[in-house]
Short mmCIF file of all heavy atoms in Angstrom, two decimals:
data_model
loop_
_atom_site.label_atom_id
_atom_site.label_comp_id
_atom_site.label_asym_id
_atom_site.label_seq_id
_atom_site.Cartn_x
_atom_site.Cartn_y
_atom_site.Cartn_z
N GLN A 171 -3.82 -17.86 31.05
CA GLN A 171 -4.01 -18.54 29.78
C GLN A 171 -2.71 -19.19 29.33
O GLN A 171 -1.63 -18.84 29.81
CB GLN A 171 -4.45 -17.53 28.70
CG GLN A 171 -5.72 -16.78 28.99
CD GLN A 171 -6.96 -17.63 28.85
OE1 GLN A 171 -6.94 -18.67 28.17
NE2 GLN A 171 -8.05 -17.21 29.47
N ASP A 172 -2.86 -20.12 28.41
CA ASP A 172 -1.70 -20.63 27.68
C ASP A 172 -1.53 -19.71 26.46
O ASP A 172 -2.00 -20.01 25.36
CB ASP A 172 -1.94 -22.08 27.25
CG ASP A 172 -0.70 -22.70 26.62
OD1 ASP A 172 0.33 -22.00 26.50
OD2 ASP A 172 -0.76 -23.88 26.22
N TRP A 173 -0.85 -18.59 26.67
CA TRP A 173 -0.89 -17.48 25.73
C TRP A 173 -0.37 -17.85 24.34
O TRP A 173 -0.88 -17.34 23.34
CB TRP A 173 -0.08 -16.30 26.29
CG TRP A 173 -0.59 -15.81 27.60
CD1 TRP A 173 -0.08 -16.10 28.83
CD2 TRP A 173 -1.74 -14.98 27.83
NE1 TRP A 173 -0.83 -15.50 29.82
CE2 TRP A 173 -1.86 -14.81 29.23
CE3 TRP A 173 -2.68 -14.38 26.99
CZ2 TRP A 173 -2.87 -14.05 29.80
CZ3 TRP A 173 -3.69 -13.63 27.56
CH2 TRP A 173 -3.78 -13.46 28.94
N LEU A 174 0.61 -18.71 24.28
CA LEU A 174 1.19 -19.09 22.99
C LEU A 174 0.80 -20.50 22.56
O LEU A 174 1.16 -20.92 21.46
CB LEU A 174 2.72 -18.99 23.05
CG LEU A 174 3.28 -17.59 23.32
CD1 LEU A 174 4.80 -17.64 23.46
CD2 LEU A 174 2.89 -16.62 22.21
N GLY A 175 0.06 -21.22 23.40
CA GLY A 175 -0.32 -22.59 23.08
C GLY A 175 -1.78 -22.78 22.78
O GLY A 175 -2.18 -23.86 22.34
N ASP A 176 -2.58 -21.75 23.00
CA ASP A 176 -4.01 -21.83 22.72
C ASP A 176 -4.26 -21.29 21.31
O ASP A 176 -3.97 -20.13 21.02
CB ASP A 176 -4.79 -21.01 23.74
CG ASP A 176 -6.30 -21.19 23.62
OD1 ASP A 176 -6.75 -21.68 22.56
OD2 ASP A 176 -7.02 -20.85 24.56
N PRO A 177 -4.82 -22.11 20.40
CA PRO A 177 -5.03 -21.63 19.02
C PRO A 177 -5.93 -20.40 18.93
O PRO A 177 -5.83 -19.65 17.97
CB PRO A 177 -5.67 -22.84 18.33
CG PRO A 177 -5.30 -24.01 19.16
CD PRO A 177 -5.21 -23.53 20.56
N ASP A 178 -6.77 -20.19 19.93
CA ASP A 178 -7.70 -19.06 19.87
C ASP A 178 -7.04 -17.73 20.22
O ASP A 178 -7.55 -16.67 19.82
CB ASP A 178 -8.89 -19.30 20.81
CG ASP A 178 -9.74 -20.49 20.36
OD1 ASP A 178 -9.82 -20.73 19.14
OD2 ASP A 178 -10.32 -21.17 21.24
N ILE A 179 -5.96 -17.76 20.97
CA ILE A 179 -5.36 -16.50 21.41
C ILE A 179 -3.89 -16.38 21.04
O ILE A 179 -3.29 -15.33 21.27
CB ILE A 179 -5.51 -16.32 22.95
CG1 ILE A 179 -4.76 -17.44 23.69
CG2 ILE A 179 -6.96 -16.27 23.35
CD1 ILE A 179 -4.74 -17.25 25.19
N ALA A 180 -3.30 -17.43 20.47
CA ALA A 180 -1.86 -17.39 20.17
C ALA A 180 -1.53 -16.26 19.20
O ALA A 180 -0.54 -15.53 19.38
CB ALA A 180 -1.41 -18.73 19.60
N LEU A 181 -2.34 -16.08 18.15
CA LEU A 181 -2.07 -15.04 17.17
C LEU A 181 -2.14 -13.66 17.81
O LEU A 181 -1.30 -12.79 17.53
CB LEU A 181 -3.05 -15.14 16.01
CG LEU A 181 -2.87 -14.11 14.89
CD1 LEU A 181 -1.50 -14.25 14.25
CD2 LEU A 181 -3.97 -14.26 13.84
N TYR A 182 -3.10 -13.45 18.71
CA TYR A 182 -3.22 -12.15 19.37
C TYR A 182 -2.05 -11.91 20.32
O TYR A 182 -1.61 -10.76 20.50
CB TYR A 182 -4.54 -12.06 20.11
CG TYR A 182 -5.74 -12.22 19.21
CD1 TYR A 182 -6.47 -13.40 19.19
CD2 TYR A 182 -6.12 -11.20 18.35
CE1 TYR A 182 -7.56 -13.56 18.35
CE2 TYR A 182 -7.22 -11.34 17.51
CZ TYR A 182 -7.93 -12.53 17.51
OH TYR A 182 -9.00 -12.68 16.66
N SER A 183 -1.54 -12.98 20.92
CA SER A 183 -0.37 -12.83 21.78
C SER A 183 0.85 -12.40 20.97
O SER A 183 1.60 -11.51 21.38
CB SER A 183 -0.08 -14.15 22.51
OG SER A 183 -1.17 -14.54 23.31
N VAL A 184 1.05 -13.04 19.81
CA VAL A 184 2.15 -12.65 18.94
C VAL A 184 1.97 -11.21 18.46
O VAL A 184 2.93 -10.43 18.38
CB VAL A 184 2.27 -13.61 17.74
CG1 VAL A 184 3.36 -13.15 16.79
CG2 VAL A 184 2.58 -15.02 18.23
N MET A 185 0.74 -10.82 18.15
CA MET A 185 0.47 -9.44 17.74
C MET A 185 0.84 -8.46 18.84
O MET A 185 1.43 -7.40 18.57
CB MET A 185 -1.01 -9.29 17.37
CG MET A 185 -1.43 -9.99 16.09
SD MET A 185 -3.23 -9.96 15.83
CE MET A 185 -3.51 -8.19 15.71
N GLY A 186 0.52 -8.79 20.08
CA GLY A 186 0.88 -7.90 21.19
C GLY A 186 2.38 -7.73 21.30
O GLY A 186 2.88 -6.62 21.54
N VAL A 187 3.11 -8.82 21.14
CA VAL A 187 4.58 -8.74 21.19
C VAL A 187 5.09 -7.86 20.06
O VAL A 187 5.99 -7.02 20.24
CB VAL A 187 5.20 -10.14 21.12
CG1 VAL A 187 6.72 -10.06 21.01
CG2 VAL A 187 4.80 -10.97 22.34
N MET A 188 4.53 -7.99 18.87
CA MET A 188 5.01 -7.22 17.73
C MET A 188 4.67 -5.74 17.84
O MET A 188 5.40 -4.89 17.33
CB MET A 188 4.44 -7.80 16.43
CG MET A 188 4.91 -9.21 16.13
SD MET A 188 6.68 -9.48 16.41
CE MET A 188 7.40 -8.32 15.24
N VAL A 189 3.56 -5.41 18.49
CA VAL A 189 3.27 -4.00 18.77
C VAL A 189 4.37 -3.42 19.66
O VAL A 189 4.88 -2.31 19.43
CB VAL A 189 1.89 -3.84 19.43
CG1 VAL A 189 1.70 -2.41 19.94
CG2 VAL A 189 0.78 -4.19 18.44
N TRP A 190 4.75 -4.18 20.68
CA TRP A 190 5.82 -3.74 21.58
C TRP A 190 7.14 -3.58 20.83
O TRP A 190 7.88 -2.61 21.06
CB TRP A 190 5.96 -4.76 22.70
CG TRP A 190 7.10 -4.51 23.64
CD1 TRP A 190 7.12 -3.64 24.70
CD2 TRP A 190 8.38 -5.14 23.62
NE1 TRP A 190 8.33 -3.69 25.33
CE2 TRP A 190 9.13 -4.60 24.69
CE3 TRP A 190 8.97 -6.11 22.81
CZ2 TRP A 190 10.43 -5.00 24.96
CZ3 TRP A 190 10.25 -6.51 23.07
CH2 TRP A 190 10.98 -5.96 24.13
#
Side-chain angles (χ1 to χ4, degrees):
Q171 301 287 339
D172 186 359
W173 301 100
L174 298 175
D176 187 343
D178 295 329
I179 62 174
L181 181 61
Y182 300 105
S183 299
V184 176
M185 290 172 62
V187 174
M188 296 316 299
V189 170
W190 175 81

